[in-house]
Amino acid sequence: MSEQFSTARRLTRKKPSKLSWTIVFRRLHKKGQTEEAAKKRTRRTVKAQRAVVGATLDSIKAKKNQKPEVRASLRQAAAAKSKDEKKAAQEKKKAEMSKVKAAQKGNVSKQQMKGAAPKVQAKSR
């Protein structure tokens, strides 16, 4: 009888988790579990500060403990310094370009200025 019963349910494609007498149902609804296992505890990662290449841990902590105003002023000073360096490099480049232009008189294209070979003129015309 039980074989017919289970066969009928399988053939009508009943979900085993819906039938109260199946193992799947019993597992889902926590039936027949005698001992209750305690929840597994997950370990939380502990964050630790470490030194980075070029900066010791002490220097990192010192920067972290600085007041925001001091850090902002240092940042502005560094930005101004880099701007000045960039400006000087640009002026130097401009001076070199003006020298090159003075050396080459007449209309010269950018490709010729870079050193490209001149175009070959047609001889048949």
Side-chain angles (χ1 to χ4, degrees), residues 50-57 60:
R50 291 192 297 182
V52 186
V53 177
T56 61
L57 187 60
I60 292 171

Side-chain angles (χ1 to χ4, degrees), residues 66 69-79:
Q66 276 181 347
E69 298 87 27
V70 176
R71 287 174 68 188
S73 65
L74 287 172
R75 194 181 304 115
Q76 286 174 349

